[in-house]
Amino acid sequence: MSTSGRTNRVPAVARLIVVVVLGAWLLWQIFTVSFAAVAARSTDPRLLTAFGTPQHPQAGAALAQARLVGKDHQAARQLAHAVIMADPTNDRALRVLGLATEAGGDRQQALAIMQQAGRLGWRDTPTQQWLLQRAILTDDFTGVVQHADALARRNRGGEMVRGLFLAAVAEPRLRGALADRLAQQPMWRGAFFADVRQRLPEALAEPMAGLFKDLQDRRSVIAPTEWMSYIDRLAELGQFARARRTWATAFGVSTQQLAGIPYDPAFRAASARAPDAPTSQFEWSLNANLEGTVTFGDDEGRPGLTIPTGVSAGAALASQTIMLPPGTHELTARIDGSPETAAAGWTLTCLPAQVALPRRLKRGSNDELSSVIFEVPSVNCAAQRLALVARDQFDAKPATVRSVTIR
């Protein structure tokens, strides 16, 4: 009996030993992998020395990089090579190998290695920066945009990449490569057009039109907000005529529609426009802070601009950028209601000088609405901002502007 009991206990003990050994081995693996991961992110030379081996490729690549920074190029190259032999897709080790090879004087071999690193590791910032710099030095226009794109997709490169994309507009071959990339709808396309709105230099105003043409040639849909970024920037730069032509072309405004001053004198286009449609400064736009208070159209569905009561004096209700030649101009408006009791009047401000022009009221001081005369000077007044501005009016009554004409 006792012999049989001892025999039955032997397999159980053996299984326990196996479980303990396997558990210890597994814990050791977890321990080493965890510390190797910590070492790969650490600058502690003791951790890197302990775990910086081909058996732990990430830590090995980090140690190789540390050797490279310490200018021990031979050691960096040997360790990076060993890591790549164990992990051929380790882009960091490839980059270290390439830079160490370059430091050793073999530039052609270094280039081949760095290009392979770039193909494997578009997320590796130093690799893409190195390749971008080389593409710039060798006039590799496609490569410049490709590597700048890799940096922009990870929000790396900052001002350098943003400035590079804008500068690319000036060089036709570089602009073509940029158009190719923009046509693929990269995630940074919106940021690029935001930069166009805020930072496009005056010297690039005309070449930027070429980029839009390049995008159209590639059948890339240009969003209304992208057009507006360019149009608003042109106006900000004082290029009002170009801005207005671009707006008319981009949004299909006919020559006949443009003939009248102001544009859309009877508010037909404004009344039919969707509330969320992008609006150019060369068409009627409402004060966003008065949404719902001022409207185009009325209860009968007829075009017109309502003038509310109770709005703080000086607030612009609606406005439009126009371009009047120097001289005397009379604005006349057809009003439903009494112009004398309406709580608004017309103003004209020179652009880009931002100087309000004096006015003469043809029908008396209480009527700032139905007839106003302006004198447009010959200097610093290339364009003007026409605005319907709220005024203090005792016992004000609602009114509607049905049409506006300037002669």
Side-chain angles (χ1 to χ4, degrees):
M1 277 305 273
S2 59
T3 303
S4 175
R6 287 195 301 271
T7 304
N8 290 334
R9 285 197 300 270
V10 171
V13 172
R15 285 196 298 270
L16 179 60
I17 293 172
V18 170
V19 169
V20 170
V21 171
L22 286 175
W25 178 84
L26 182 59
L27 287 173
W28 174 252
Q29 292 301 312
I30 294 172
F31 170 82
T32 55
V33 169
S34 298
F35 270 85
V38 171
R41 297 190 297 270
S42 173
T43 57
D44 189 325
R46 293 168 297 181
L47 278 176
L48 284 177
T49 301
F51 292 97
T53 66
Q55 287 72 34
H56 302 292
Q58 296 305 321
L63 179 58
Q65 180 172 295
R67 297 281 187 263
L68 180 66
V69 172
K71 299 191 181 303
D72 190 350
H73 301 138
Q74 184 63 24
R77 185 172 182 175
Q78 289 175 350
L79 180 53
H81 184 270
V83 170
I84 293 166
M85 295 301 292
D87 179 12
T89 62
N90 193 307
D91 55 318
R92 188 181 192 182
L94 270 171
R95 184 235 304 164
V96 172
L97 179 61
L99 295 178
T101 301
E102 181 186 41
D106 192 345
R107 294 187 177 181
Q108 285 301 110
Q109 181 66 14
L111 174 60
I113 295 171
M114 292 298 287
Q115 287 174 333
Q116 177 64 13
R119 285 190 289 270
L120 284 175
W122 67 267
R123 293 178 178 85
D124 187 69
T125 300
T127 298
Q128 296 300 332
Q129 289 175 332
W130 189 93
L131 291 169
L132 173 60
Q133 182 180 20
R134 191 180 190 285
I136 292 172
L137 294 175
T138 59
D139 290 336
D140 177 6
F141 302 109
T142 300
V144 167
V145 175
Q146 173 189 342
H147 300 302
D149 168 51
L151 293 169
R153 277 188 282 169
R154 300 183 60 244
N155 198 25
R156 299 292 189 270
E159 290 295 320
M160 177 193 70
V161 170
R162 294 171 64 189
L164 190 152
F165 284 143
L166 282 180
V169 172
E171 211 291 330
R173 291 168 294 179
L174 204 52
R175 187 172 67 233
L178 177 62
D180 288 337
R181 192 63 59 168
L182 286 170
Q184 298 173 20
Q185 296 293 332
M187 61 182 66
W188 47 266
R189 178 164 168 157
F192 169 76
F193 281 102
D195 278 344
V196 169
R197 172 64 185 88
Q198 298 168 11
R199 305 170 57 187
L200 186 75
E202 186 171 3
L204 295 183
E206 186 171 352
M208 185 66 200
L211 178 64
F212 279 103
K213 183 179 183 303
D214 289 344
L215 288 171
Q216 290 172 323
D217 290 344
R218 289 156 176 77
R219 301 186 182 278
S220 176
V221 176
I222 302 170
T225 53
E226 294 172 346
W227 280 115
M228 287 300 183
S229 296
Y230 178 48
I231 293 164
D232 287 345
R233 182 57 176 168
L234 286 174
E236 195 169 85
L237 292 170
Q239 299 190 23
F240 297 101
R242 181 191 292 275
R244 195 167 189 260
R245 285 196 307 270
T246 303
W247 163 67
T249 301
F251 292 91
V253 181
S254 69
T255 303
Q256 182 178 359
Q257 289 175 299
L258 288 175
I261 301 176
Y263 168 76
D264 189 22
F267 310 104
R268 290 188 177 88
S271 298
R273 188 174 63 213
D276 59 347
T279 305
S280 164
Q281 61 182 279
F282 298 103
E283 56 187 320
W284 292 115
S285 59
L286 297 179
N287 187 331
N289 295 324
L290 300 175
E291 185 176 354
T293 303
V294 185
T295 59
F296 293 119
D298 59 20
D299 294 338
E300 300 176 6
R302 295 183 299 160
L305 172 60
T306 63
I307 300 175
T309 59
V311 177
S312 298
L317 307 179
S319 59
Q320 179 182 146
T321 295
I322 59 178
M323 286 184 289
L324 296 171
T328 303
H329 299 275
E330 181 180 359
L331 178 152
T332 57
R334 185 166 61 87
I335 311 297
D336 283 0
S338 170
E340 290 84 1
T341 59
W346 296 104
T347 64
L348 198 66
T349 303
C350 275
L351 302 176
Q354 297 290 345
V355 175
L357 293 177
R359 58 186 182 168
R360 299 200 308 271
L361 305 180
K362 194 173 181 180
R363 297 178 183 172
S365 60
N366 288 331
D367 182 0
E368 302 178 25
L369 195 60
S370 65
S371 181
V372 184
I373 296 174
F374 296 98
E375 292 288 339
V376 176
S378 58
V379 294
N380 295 324
C381 204
Q384 305 83 34
R385 192 68 174 168
L386 174 66
L388 184 63
V389 177
R391 65 169 184 161
D392 285 326
Q393 174 65 37
F394 176 72
D395 195 24
K397 295 179 181 179
T400 301
V401 183
R402 292 298 178 190
S403 64
V404 184
T405 304
I406 301 178
R407 294 185 176 87

